[in-house]
Amino acid sequence: MKHLSEYRDGAKALKLAAEIARICKGNWAIMEVCGGQTHSIIRNGIDQIVPQNIEMIHGPGCPVCVTPISVIDKALEIAARRNVLFCSFGDMLRVPGTTSDLYRIKGGGGDVRIVYSPLDAVKLARKHPTREVVFLAIGFETTAPANAMAVKIAQQQDIHNFSVLVSHVLVPPAIEAIMNSPGNRVQAFLAAGHVCSVMGFHQYHRLASQYSIPIVVTGFEPLDLLDGIRRAVVQLEAGQSHVENAFPRVVTEAGNEVAQATIDEVFETTDRAWRGIGVIPQSGWRLKPKYAEFDAERRFAVEDIAPEESNACRAGEVLRGALKPHQCEAFGKQCTPRTPLGATMVSSEGACAAYYNYGRFVHP
Amino acid sequence: MKPSTLNIASPLCPVPLRDYPQVILAHGGGGKLSAELIEHIFAPAFANEHVTLLSDSTPLCLPSQRIAVSTDSFVVQPLFFPGGSIGDLAVNGTVNDLAMSGARPMYLTAGFILEEGFEMEQLIRIAKDMGRAARDAGVAIIAGDTKVVERGHGDGCYINTSGIGVLPAERKIAVDQAKPGDAVILSGSVGDHGVAIMSVREGLDFESPILSDCASLADLVQKMLDTSTNIRAMRDPTRGGVAMSLNEIAAASRCGIELDDECIPIKEPVRSACEFLGLDPLLVANEGKLIAIVAKSDADQVLNTMRAHPLGCDAAIVGHVVEDDNQLVVSRTAVGTKRIVSIPVGEQLPRIC
């Protein structure tokens, strides 16, 4: 962490921006996949210093935003039950379900606790053997290893009052879905650095080749993002489409093989609904049958809950890159961080929240 | 109940509190045990000429026609944290609220809500911390109250403090007084308290220990007031952090504020912790820092005075007040662009990945 300032050097950033302006001749639309990248771009004003003929499109990579409302509703139903101790990452507490959110459930007497790791939830299960401890296991490939480990530990230690409500999603199928969607404008991707730190980037070669798109593995600091954009533009101008690693201090081609093995042990791929987008085939993970005992959906019989989304919320279009947050009619009016209609305005990684919190005077 | 572990050091009388290592309901009943709580814990810890009276109210002489009054309640968890305790906070929080209006804090009251079963030894530590903090701040705790709630109906110990301070004549220091061109001065690094609390609350071990900055700002403020008559507004950026305080000033004064990200002092361990947790240091709580809005002409002079004080040695001019009908607080980023510094909706929540 002590080397962070190297990647925030203003003079170097402006030099990179000038370099991008020099090489950029055409009009290009580049999608940053990850919500963390979106926030860094808006918070640091990267979109203000790249040439106007580069459009940054914000991708679906916010784990809070894409968690389907059906999962939120199931979480609310379980968390409200007596004898349940419901654990979640903090970001999820404000996400609106059909009629409520986890904060309200907590206020109404539900035992909802913020944890920083699923392993903390396992500890709570050990500490409270007479209570049902449930962990809301959401996120991309980054959070999956720890969630898988929590299930493994619970099984190894005979902790039977622990279960997980799983809603894991995967980046490569989302990229594929975006490329296949009608009206897609994305011409290059900045792949999420921390996802690749777990999974490597070997699986991106096929996508780059099949869809003829440059994919640049990119970090989160201003210089990381500008270097990612620069490399994408170089490829676009040259008509190339291959995978580049602009985050080598963290990411390797193979990724973290121990973490991948843990995921493979516990999870298997499944079709998964993305909030605002719909079902993407084979885009998520669920527990393997041998870990079914730890599946909260089965344990609490909440499979059939049917949610309702707000008609005014256009988060799905934002997540697909078809709409900028400020182009939504509800943005900043009916929909603010205080009165969010959709998860993209709630999450600290959501594109709408980024525009509202940091960029309202640029995108009024 | 015959415990042997309670260690009540002199000057606190060991009898009969030694028989009650934990608070019981009768300690709040107004009877003998309540009186003994005051006599053996609070009065010695707070030690000043007024608390020995133990009467229903305390007569005071105030040397001014203009006084400032403030009250605040403290419900922090955990009660003891790196760099302080709920006792320090309860005194310094109200002292600082008084000081921010330019008042010289003089007197405090202290109300305790204790949970049945609360460890007496912890109460003694808290009372001692309050006494020390009050002496350091130059205020006297002159009245108090204790209530005990049943086990499970409290969180160990809650404290309310109210304070009285004396305002200087002919001075108006308020959040609606900022004017375009004024300098924004921050007395030191931001985020220390909030991150210190989070580190113990959530069991996060950081490489470098992060201590709360909890402190009384009364002396620093007096020296600033002696230096300049053009201090327009002051705020101690507690909950909601610097972002909240500056937005309040901008809204009340109907102006904008422009900051410079690179001028805002942040300790490296705090910056790293915030990066790790996905928190914005400008939104994290402080308990020993102040923001001053000062006329441009006096800004350097006030800054020098602050830097000569132990609590202001890292003070910096971090921005200035501008004309802006939208009353936005914005900050210049390292790459020369601007971002909005907005108010948090609720508590900051750590990010997922």
Side-chain angles (χ1 to χ4, degrees):
Chain A
M1 211 70 88
K2 64 185 173 186
H3 300 299
L4 267 185
S5 54
E6 294 171 39
Y7 303 100
R8 296 180 179 180
D9 185 307
K12 285 184 185 166
L14 291 173
K15 206 171 158 189
L16 262 174
E19 168 72 4
I20 294 168
R22 191 182 63 78
I23 57 177
C24 185
K25 310 291 181 206
N27 294 309
W28 305 114
I30 302 172
M31 173 177 275
E32 80 280 359
V33 172
C34 168
Q37 292 172 328
T38 302
H39 263 253
S40 188
I41 286 170
I42 305 297
R43 189 175 194 276
N44 293 294
I46 302 294
D47 55 336
Q48 299 171 47
I49 58 170
V50 294
Q52 286 192 345
N53 44 341
I54 295 177
E55 183 187 2
M56 297 306 299
I57 299 181
H58 315 306
C62 163
V64 176
C65 305
V66 299
T67 300
I69 193 168
S70 60
V71 170
I72 305 296
D73 283 352
K74 286 169 188 171
L76 300 175
E77 163 73 22
I78 295 169
R81 293 195 191 179
R82 287 181 64 190
N83 205 37
V84 165
L85 198 166
F86 194 89
C87 302
S88 169
F89 293 130
D91 270 20
M92 295 304 293
L93 267 68
R94 280 202 298 264
V95 180
T98 300
T99 58
S100 187
D101 58 49
L102 284 169
Y103 258 132
R104 289 192 175 94
I105 297 293
K106 184 172 164 64
D111 192 350
V112 179
R113 303 193 192 181
I114 295 173
V115 293
Y116 289 78
S117 158
L119 303 179
D120 291 340
V122 177
K123 281 184 200 159
L124 282 168
R126 202 183 298 125
K127 191 175 168 188
H128 301 282
T130 62
R131 303 188 63 192
E132 283 289 337
V133 175
V134 183
F135 178 71
L136 181 50
I138 68 144
F140 284 87
E141 292 93 328
T142 41
T143 52
N147 292 347
M149 184 58 78
V151 172
K152 270 186 78 170
I153 289 174
Q155 190 189 54
Q156 283 164 2
Q157 299 184 357
D158 282 332
I159 298 173
H160 300 290
N161 61 323
F162 176 75
S163 57
V164 285
L165 181 57
V166 181
S167 185
H168 271 300
V169 280
L170 307 175
V171 167
I175 289 180
E176 204 150 8
I178 289 163
M179 292 309 297
N180 287 333
S181 64
N184 168 55
R185 297 181 298 121
V186 179
Q187 294 161 297
F189 285 97
L190 304 185
H194 54 185
V195 167
C196 294
S197 72
V198 176
M199 302 305 290
F201 56 87
H202 49 93
Q203 53 188 337
Y204 291 82
H205 293 302
R206 179 187 64 80
L207 292 172
S209 160
Q210 185 173 335
Y211 295 100
S212 300
I213 41 165
I215 300 179
V216 183
V217 180
T218 307
F220 301 86
E221 298 303 326
L223 294 190
D224 291 326
L225 287 157
L226 285 162
D227 188 39
I229 294 167
R230 183 186 65 82
R231 290 178 188 232
V233 171
V234 167
Q235 284 199 49
L236 288 166
E237 291 291 343
Q240 297 171 344
S241 52
H242 55 264
V243 181
E244 275 186 73
N245 182 9
F247 201 31
R249 67 182 187 274
V250 175
V251 173
T252 61
E253 170 130 19
N256 183 334
E257 289 170 299
V258 175
Q260 291 167 30
T262 308
I263 293 168
D264 284 345
E265 160 69 19
V266 175
F267 293 127
E268 62 187 13
T269 52
T270 181
D271 296 349
R272 180 69 73 191
W274 295 52
R275 189 167 194 171
I277 294 178
V279 173
I280 301 178
Q282 296 299 297
S283 68
W285 278 316
R286 67 181 172 204
L287 288 168
K288 283 185 171 171
K290 64 178 171 178
Y291 290 101
E293 177 199 353
F294 298 96
D295 185 345
E297 280 195 58
R298 282 176 49 151
R299 190 174 295 197
F300 296 93
V302 290
E303 292 100 330
D304 298 331
I305 286 178
E308 287 173 30
E309 289 273 20
S310 160
N311 291 331
C313 180
R314 300 177 70 185
E317 291 162 82
V318 172
L319 289 168
R320 289 195 300 272
L323 188 78
K324 288 282 170 65
H326 64 290
Q327 293 166 339
C328 170
E329 284 179 7
F331 177 80
K333 300 180 185 102
Q334 301 103 297
C335 187
T336 69
R338 191 170 175 168
T339 55
L341 294 180
T344 45
M345 187 58 97
V346 177
S347 166
S348 60
E349 294 177 32
C352 296
Y355 269 60
Y356 190 89
N357 286 330
Y358 302 126
R360 258 174 297 149
F361 65 100
V362 185
H363 313 286
Chain B
M1 211 182 290
K2 287 289 174 192
S4 57
T5 53
L6 186 61
N7 177 19
I8 303 174
S10 177
L12 299 169
C13 175
V15 178
L17 288 174
R18 183 161 284 166
D19 291 338
Y20 294 98
Q22 294 172 324
V23 170
I24 62 169
L25 285 172
H27 282 119
K32 187 173 167 55
L33 283 179
S34 295
E36 284 168 349
L37 209 60
I38 297 166
E39 186 180 351
H40 297 307
I41 293 183
F42 296 134
F46 299 165
N48 63 62
E49 61 188 298
H50 304 282
V51 287
T52 56
L53 297 175
L54 297 175
S55 57
D56 284 345
S57 65
T58 303
L60 302 174
C61 295
L62 295 170
S64 167
Q65 293 294 309
R66 296 181 73 221
I67 62 168
V69 176
S70 183
T71 190
D72 205 345
S73 298
F74 299 85
V75 296
V76 66
Q77 280 294 333
L79 300 174
F80 301 92
F81 47 82
S85 73
I86 190 172
D88 300 299
L89 271 187
V91 170
N92 292 330
T94 295
V95 161
N96 291 346
D97 284 347
L98 290 171
M100 291 310 110
S101 58
R104 179 163 60 87
M106 294 191 69
Y107 302 109
L108 288 184
T109 67
F112 293 84
I113 296 174
L114 305 175
E115 184 183 1
E116 181 186 19
F118 186 60
E119 296 292 333
M120 200 65 81
E121 201 150 12
Q122 293 199 4
L123 183 60
I124 292 166
R125 281 177 66 190
I126 289 167
K128 283 182 172 176
D129 285 349
M130 290 182 74
R132 194 199 62 249
R135 283 188 292 280
D136 289 350
V139 299
I141 300 174
I142 54 156
D145 177 53
T146 307
K147 295 286 186 292
V148 179
V149 294
E150 285 183 28
R151 190 184 288 271
H153 287 241
D155 216 353
C157 174
Y158 300 139
I159 304 175
N160 169 274
T161 51
S162 295
I164 298 172
V166 176
L167 283 163
E170 310 297 326
R171 295 282 284 265
K172 184 167 186 189
I173 294 170
V175 286
D176 62 358
Q177 297 295 302
K179 293 180 175 56
D182 290 350
V184 179
I185 305 179
L186 190 56
S187 68
S189 60
V190 298
D192 301 13
H193 175 74
V195 172
I197 291 284
M198 203 169 289
S199 68
V200 281
R201 188 186 288 166
E202 313 300 347
L204 301 172
D205 291 323
F206 297 119
E207 202 171 304
S208 312
I210 297 169
L211 302 182
S212 166
D213 58 353
C214 184
S216 158
L217 297 164
D219 187 59
L220 173 63
V221 167
Q222 285 307 309
K223 290 191 165 52
M224 292 165 64
L225 294 176
D226 292 344
T227 301
S228 167
T229 54
N230 287 311
I231 296 173
R232 319 257 203 223
M234 285 187 286
R235 263 277 197 256
D236 57 333
T238 53
R239 280 180 307 168
V242 168
M244 187 74 193
S245 294
L246 290 177
N247 274 284
E248 285 172 348
I249 291 169
S253 298
R254 299 177 183 281
C255 58
I257 290 176
E258 279 190 7
L259 304 175
D260 191 331
D261 271 354
E262 296 195 334
C263 293
I264 296 165
I266 305 172
K267 288 182 183 141
E268 204 48 46
V270 172
R271 188 189 298 278
S272 298
C274 287
E275 287 294 334
F276 174 69
L277 294 166
L279 306 176
D280 184 345
L282 291 181
L283 296 175
V284 178
N286 312 273
E287 289 292 345
K289 298 292 164 18
L290 68 82
I291 293 164
I293 308 294
V294 182
K296 191 179 177 184
S297 57
D298 290 14
D300 287 337
Q301 215 176 339
V302 172
L303 184 66
N304 290 337
T305 298
M306 293 172 76
R307 284 181 171 168
H309 193 281
L311 292 179
C313 57
D314 295 325
I317 295 175
V318 296
H320 56 280
V321 180
V322 296
E323 283 186 29
D324 178 8
D325 291 341
N326 294 319
Q327 299 158 19
L328 288 177
V329 179
V330 299
S331 192
R332 185 169 292 278
T333 69
V335 300
T337 55
K338 289 179 183 175
R339 69 178 173 99
I340 291 179
V341 177
S342 54
I343 300 174
V345 175
E347 61 187 308
Q348 279 207 100
L349 300 171
R351 68 172 164 218
I352 288 172
C353 58

